[in-house]
PDB file of all heavy atoms in Angstrom:
ATOM      1  N   TRP A   9      31.322  61.100 108.810  1.00  0.00           N
ATOM      2  CA  TRP A   9      32.747  61.113 109.176  1.00  0.00           C
ATOM      3  C   TRP A   9      33.323  59.801 108.638  1.00  0.00           C
ATOM      4  O   TRP A   9      33.043  58.737 109.118  1.00  0.00           O
ATOM      5  CB  TRP A   9      32.920  61.205 110.684  1.00  0.00           C
ATOM      6  CG  TRP A   9      32.489  62.532 111.249  1.00  0.00           C
ATOM      7  CD1 TRP A   9      33.293  63.578 111.561  1.00  0.00           C
ATOM      8  CD2 TRP A   9      31.173  63.008 111.539  1.00  0.00           C
ATOM      9  NE1 TRP A   9      32.564  64.664 112.017  1.00  0.00           N
ATOM     10  CE2 TRP A   9      31.275  64.335 112.019  1.00  0.00           C
ATOM     11  CE3 TRP A   9      29.885  62.449 111.425  1.00  0.00           C
ATOM     12  CZ2 TRP A   9      30.147  65.095 112.372  1.00  0.00           C
ATOM     13  CZ3 TRP A   9      28.777  63.206 111.778  1.00  0.00           C
ATOM     14  CH2 TRP A   9      28.922  64.506 112.245  1.00  0.00           C
ATOM     15  N   THR A  72      32.060  76.212 101.319  1.00  0.00           N
ATOM     16  CA  THR A  72      30.776  76.669 101.905  1.00  0.00           C
ATOM     17  C   THR A  72      29.757  77.043 100.839  1.00  0.00           C
ATOM     18  O   THR A  72      28.558  76.739 100.952  1.00  0.00           O
ATOM     19  CB  THR A  72      30.984  77.874 102.861  1.00  0.00           C
ATOM     20  OG1 THR A  72      31.625  78.893 102.129  1.00  0.00           O
ATOM     21  CG2 THR A  72      31.767  77.487 104.062  1.00  0.00           C
ATOM     22  N   ARG A 105      24.554  80.792 105.099  1.00  0.00           N
ATOM     23  CA  ARG A 105      24.479  80.986 103.656  1.00  0.00           C
ATOM     24  C   ARG A 105      23.129  80.505 103.134  1.00  0.00           C
ATOM     25  O   ARG A 105      22.510  81.138 102.264  1.00  0.00           O
ATOM     26  CB  ARG A 105      25.608  80.190 102.953  1.00  0.00           C
ATOM     27  CG  ARG A 105      27.020  80.724 103.299  1.00  0.00           C
ATOM     28  CD  ARG A 105      28.011  80.336 102.233  1.00  0.00           C
ATOM     29  NE  ARG A 105      27.795  81.136 101.061  1.00  0.00           N
ATOM     30  CZ  ARG A 105      28.723  81.887 100.480  1.00  0.00           C
ATOM     31  NH1 ARG A 105      29.991  81.931 100.959  1.00  0.00           N
ATOM     32  NH2 ARG A 105      28.458  82.584  99.407  1.00  0.00           N
ATOM     33  N   PHE A 135      23.367  85.576 125.396  1.00  0.00           N
ATOM     34  CA  PHE A 135      24.338  86.114 126.341  1.00  0.00           C
ATOM     35  C   PHE A 135      25.193  84.993 126.959  1.00  0.00           C
ATOM     36  O   PHE A 135      25.357  84.878 128.132  1.00  0.00           O
ATOM     37  CB  PHE A 135      23.669  86.984 127.396  1.00  0.00           C
ATOM     38  CG  PHE A 135      22.958  88.167 126.806  1.00  0.00           C
ATOM     39  CD1 PHE A 135      21.591  88.150 126.570  1.00  0.00           C
ATOM     40  CD2 PHE A 135      23.673  89.304 126.455  1.00  0.00           C
ATOM     41  CE1 PHE A 135      20.945  89.227 125.913  1.00  0.00           C
ATOM     42  CE2 PHE A 135      23.057  90.377 125.856  1.00  0.00           C
ATOM     43  CZ  PHE A 135      21.698  90.372 125.624  1.00  0.00           C
ATOM     44  N   TYR A 140      17.675  82.833 128.256  1.00  0.00           N
ATOM     45  CA  TYR A 140      17.035  82.230 127.065  1.00  0.00           C
ATOM     46  C   TYR A 140      16.256  83.338 126.324  1.00  0.00           C
ATOM     47  O   TYR A 140      15.636  84.137 126.954  1.00  0.00           O
ATOM     48  CB  TYR A 140      16.047  81.148 127.442  1.00  0.00           C
ATOM     49  CG  TYR A 140      16.687  79.853 127.874  1.00  0.00           C
ATOM     50  CD1 TYR A 140      16.896  79.581 129.193  1.00  0.00           C
ATOM     51  CD2 TYR A 140      17.081  78.925 126.937  1.00  0.00           C
ATOM     52  CE1 TYR A 140      17.481  78.383 129.611  1.00  0.00           C
ATOM     53  CE2 TYR A 140      17.677  77.714 127.305  1.00  0.00           C
ATOM     54  CZ  TYR A 140      17.867  77.448 128.660  1.00  0.00           C
ATOM     55  OH  TYR A 140      18.462  76.284 129.013  1.00  0.00           O
ATOM     56  N   LEU A 185      45.061  73.165 100.905  1.00  0.00           N
ATOM     57  CA  LEU A 185      46.514  73.010 100.697  1.00  0.00           C
ATOM     58  C   LEU A 185      47.047  71.853 101.581  1.00  0.00           C
ATOM     59  O   LEU A 185      47.862  71.058 101.106  1.00  0.00           O
ATOM     60  CB  LEU A 185      47.244  74.302 101.015  1.00  0.00           C
ATOM     61  CG  LEU A 185      46.730  75.565 100.323  1.00  0.00           C
ATOM     62  CD1 LEU A 185      47.357  76.833 100.919  1.00  0.00           C
ATOM     63  CD2 LEU A 185      46.952  75.474  98.819  1.00  0.00           C
ATOM     64  N   ALA A 295      28.331  73.917 140.355  1.00  0.00           N
ATOM     65  CA  ALA A 295      28.585  72.484 140.454  1.00  0.00           C
ATOM     66  C   ALA A 295      27.420  71.734 141.104  1.00  0.00           C
ATOM     67  O   ALA A 295      26.671  72.276 141.917  1.00  0.00           O
ATOM     68  CB  ALA A 295      29.837  72.230 141.225  1.00  0.00           C
ATOM     69  N   TYR A 297      28.308  68.519 142.335  1.00  0.00           N
ATOM     70  CA  TYR A 297      29.088  67.895 143.405  1.00  0.00           C
ATOM     71  C   TYR A 297      30.379  68.667 143.573  1.00  0.00           C
ATOM     72  O   TYR A 297      30.990  69.064 142.577  1.00  0.00           O
ATOM     73  CB  TYR A 297      29.410  66.427 143.041  1.00  0.00           C
ATOM     74  CG  TYR A 297      28.165  65.571 142.942  1.00  0.00           C
ATOM     75  CD1 TYR A 297      27.604  65.290 141.707  1.00  0.00           C
ATOM     76  CD2 TYR A 297      27.540  65.090 144.092  1.00  0.00           C
ATOM     77  CE1 TYR A 297      26.448  64.508 141.609  1.00  0.00           C
ATOM     78  CE2 TYR A 297      26.382  64.302 144.007  1.00  0.00           C
ATOM     79  CZ  TYR A 297      25.831  64.025 142.767  1.00  0.00           C
ATOM     80  OH  TYR A 297      24.725  63.283 142.690  1.00  0.00           O
TER      81      TYR A 297
ATOM     82  N   ASP B 121      26.446  88.409 122.515  1.00  0.00           N
ATOM     83  CA  ASP B 121      25.095  88.715 123.031  1.00  0.00           C
ATOM     84  C   ASP B 121      24.061  87.716 122.508  1.00  0.00           C
ATOM     85  O   ASP B 121      23.489  86.949 123.269  1.00  0.00           O
ATOM     86  CB  ASP B 121      24.708  90.171 122.743  1.00  0.00           C
ATOM     87  CG  ASP B 121      24.983  90.604 121.322  1.00  0.00           C
ATOM     88  OD1 ASP B 121      25.366  89.761 120.479  1.00  0.00           O
ATOM     89  OD2 ASP B 121      24.760  91.785 121.030  1.00  0.00           O
ATOM     90  N   ASP B 133      26.934  85.333 101.316  1.00  0.00           N
ATOM     91  CA  ASP B 133      26.022  84.874 100.355  1.00  0.00           C
ATOM     92  C   ASP B 133      25.294  86.014  99.658  1.00  0.00           C
ATOM     93  O   ASP B 133      25.032  85.976  98.463  1.00  0.00           O
ATOM     94  CB  ASP B 133      25.001  83.900 100.978  1.00  0.00           C
ATOM     95  CG  ASP B 133      24.669  82.816 100.020  1.00  0.00           C
ATOM     96  OD1 ASP B 133      25.453  81.869  99.937  1.00  0.00           O
ATOM     97  OD2 ASP B 133      23.655  82.950  99.328  1.00  0.00           O
ATOM     98  N   ILE B 137      29.996  85.956  97.390  1.00  0.00           N
ATOM     99  CA  ILE B 137      31.425  85.616  97.395  1.00  0.00           C
ATOM    100  C   ILE B 137      31.655  84.445  98.339  1.00  0.00           C
ATOM    101  O   ILE B 137      30.745  83.968  99.020  1.00  0.00           O
ATOM    102  CB  ILE B 137      32.266  86.841  97.869  1.00  0.00           C
ATOM    103  CG1 ILE B 137      31.818  87.354  99.219  1.00  0.00           C
ATOM    104  CG2 ILE B 137      32.245  87.920  96.803  1.00  0.00           C
ATOM    105  CD1 ILE B 137      32.592  88.534  99.752  1.00  0.00           C
ATOM    106  N   SER B 139      33.148  82.154 101.495  1.00  0.00           N
ATOM    107  CA  SER B 139      33.320  82.357 102.935  1.00  0.00           C
ATOM    108  C   SER B 139      34.076  81.149 103.483  1.00  0.00           C
ATOM    109  O   SER B 139      33.916  80.058 102.985  1.00  0.00           O
ATOM    110  CB  SER B 139      31.956  82.559 103.617  1.00  0.00           C
ATOM    111  OG  SER B 139      31.105  81.461 103.343  1.00  0.00           O
ATOM    112  N   ASP B 160      36.915  69.050 112.338  1.00  0.00           N
ATOM    113  CA  ASP B 160      36.838  68.094 113.449  1.00  0.00           C
ATOM    114  C   ASP B 160      38.188  67.351 113.608  1.00  0.00           C
ATOM    115  O   ASP B 160      38.655  66.760 112.668  1.00  0.00           O
ATOM    116  CB  ASP B 160      35.740  67.060 113.165  1.00  0.00           C
ATOM    117  CG  ASP B 160      34.356  67.645 113.460  1.00  0.00           C
ATOM    118  OD1 ASP B 160      34.306  68.777 113.998  1.00  0.00           O
ATOM    119  OD2 ASP B 160      33.344  66.963 113.195  1.00  0.00           O
ATOM    120  N   LEU B 165      44.732  73.998 105.926  1.00  0.00           N
ATOM    121  CA  LEU B 165      45.203  75.229 105.408  1.00  0.00           C
ATOM    122  C   LEU B 165      44.566  75.341 103.995  1.00  0.00           C
ATOM    123  O   LEU B 165      44.651  74.441 103.214  1.00  0.00           O
ATOM    124  CB  LEU B 165      46.712  75.268 105.265  1.00  0.00           C
ATOM    125  CG  LEU B 165      47.454  75.214 106.600  1.00  0.00           C
ATOM    126  CD1 LEU B 165      48.943  75.165 106.409  1.00  0.00           C
ATOM    127  CD2 LEU B 165      47.078  76.382 107.523  1.00  0.00           C
ATOM    128  N   GLU B 218      13.960  84.824 129.132  1.00  0.00           N
ATOM    129  CA  GLU B 218      13.744  84.159 130.435  1.00  0.00           C
ATOM    130  C   GLU B 218      15.102  83.857 131.027  1.00  0.00           C
ATOM    131  O   GLU B 218      16.100  83.585 130.317  1.00  0.00           O
ATOM    132  CB  GLU B 218      13.035  82.802 130.212  1.00  0.00           C
ATOM    133  CG  GLU B 218      11.570  82.985 129.820  1.00  0.00           C
ATOM    134  CD  GLU B 218      10.969  81.687 129.245  1.00  0.00           C
ATOM    135  OE1 GLU B 218      11.380  80.589 129.694  1.00  0.00           O
ATOM    136  OE2 GLU B 218      10.100  81.766 128.359  1.00  0.00           O
ATOM    137  N   LYS B 223      19.564  76.281 139.809  1.00  0.00           N
ATOM    138  CA  LYS B 223      19.959  74.875 139.963  1.00  0.00           C
ATOM    139  C   LYS B 223      20.085  74.531 141.430  1.00  0.00           C
ATOM    140  O   LYS B 223      20.274  75.399 142.309  1.00  0.00           O
ATOM    141  CB  LYS B 223      21.218  74.548 139.188  1.00  0.00           C
ATOM    142  CG  LYS B 223      22.434  75.254 139.633  1.00  0.00           C
ATOM    143  CD  LYS B 223      23.670  74.634 139.059  1.00  0.00           C
ATOM    144  CE  LYS B 223      24.088  73.345 139.845  1.00  0.00           C
ATOM    145  NZ  LYS B 223      24.420  73.590 141.227  1.00  0.00           N
ATOM    146  N   GLU B 242      24.134  57.669 142.471  1.00  0.00           N
ATOM    147  CA  GLU B 242      23.100  58.704 142.591  1.00  0.00           C
ATOM    148  C   GLU B 242      22.884  59.417 141.235  1.00  0.00           C
ATOM    149  O   GLU B 242      21.817  59.408 140.691  1.00  0.00           O
ATOM    150  CB  GLU B 242      23.461  59.711 143.673  1.00  0.00           C
ATOM    151  CG  GLU B 242      22.379  60.744 143.948  1.00  0.00           C
ATOM    152  CD  GLU B 242      22.821  61.717 144.999  1.00  0.00           C
ATOM    153  OE1 GLU B 242      23.509  62.699 144.658  1.00  0.00           O
ATOM    154  OE2 GLU B 242      22.451  61.486 146.204  1.00  0.00           O
TER     155      GLU B 242
END
Side-chain angles (χ1 to χ4, degrees):
Chain A
W9 290 261
T72 54
R105 296 202 72 125
F135 298 97
Y140 284 97
L185 308 170
Y297 297 99
Chain B
D121 47 5
D133 216 82
I137 56 178
S139 56
D160 280 354
L165 295 178
E218 288 166 34
K223 62 166 282 298
E242 186 181 83

